[in-house]
Amino acid sequence: MPDLAYHTPLGPDSLRELGIPAPWTFGLADRVRFGELDALGHVNHTAYLRWFESFRLPFLKARQVTDYGPTAPRLVLKQVQCTYLAEMGLGLDYVVTGRVSRFRTTSFTMEFAVWLPGDTAKQTAQGTTIVVLLRQDGTGRYPIPDAGRTAFLEDDGAINDA
């Protein structure tokens, strides 16, 4: 297994080397910290949502949906869901992957997975979120930029429901 580069985007080739299967093409690696544990020594359920959020920021920048600048769209979560599949504990290396599975004109659905890398990576959690793009001034919705729509289709295999 290759060394993990924490907080550095991992592409499809790196993910496959870590045992993470298609369709995942974008990931971020990190290590479980003490502050993410609950009283039983397991990763607390809220940590997964923070991991998804930390993933979403560079992912959407790489997909050219936003540059997080003053004129960029506001990204608002409409819905978040997480299913926990296996326990995780202190010091474990993990990879969060994500992709857009569906999109409309001003919103999209993202899927996430958390993996323990290895010859055959073990999935420990999965989640989804619906994100809505809004104008900075609050006057309405903001259309997904064309570059983002193209990346969703070509890189993620998303379905266009617009």
Side-chain angles (χ1 to χ4, degrees), residues 139-150:
T139 60
R141 293 186 174 211
Y142 187 107
I144 298 168
D146 288 341
R149 299 168 70 77
T150 298

Side-chain angles (χ1 to χ4, degrees), residues 66-87:
T66 182
D67 62 6
Y68 299 102
T71 61
R74 291 174 37 210
L75 305 174
V76 178
L77 296 184
K78 179 178 181 180
Q79 181 181 34
V80 178
Q81 175 272 331
C82 187
T83 301
Y84 308 99
L85 304 172
E87 296 177 3

Side-chain angles (χ1 to χ4, degrees), residues 15-39:
L15 294 174
R16 299 308 162 263
E17 288 178 19
L18 296 169
I20 299 170
W24 308 105
T25 62
F26 194 99
L28 288 176
D30 206 347
R31 179 172 284 170
V32 175
R33 294 171 177 79
F34 178 78
E36 296 170 324
L37 303 179
D38 62 18

Side-chain angles (χ1 to χ4, degrees), residues 32 36-38 41-48 51 87-90:
V32 175
E36 296 170 324
L37 303 179
D38 62 18
H42 307 130
V43 172
N44 185 281
H45 64 282
T46 61
Y48 294 87
W51 295 348
E87 296 177 3
M88 291 179 64
L90 183 63

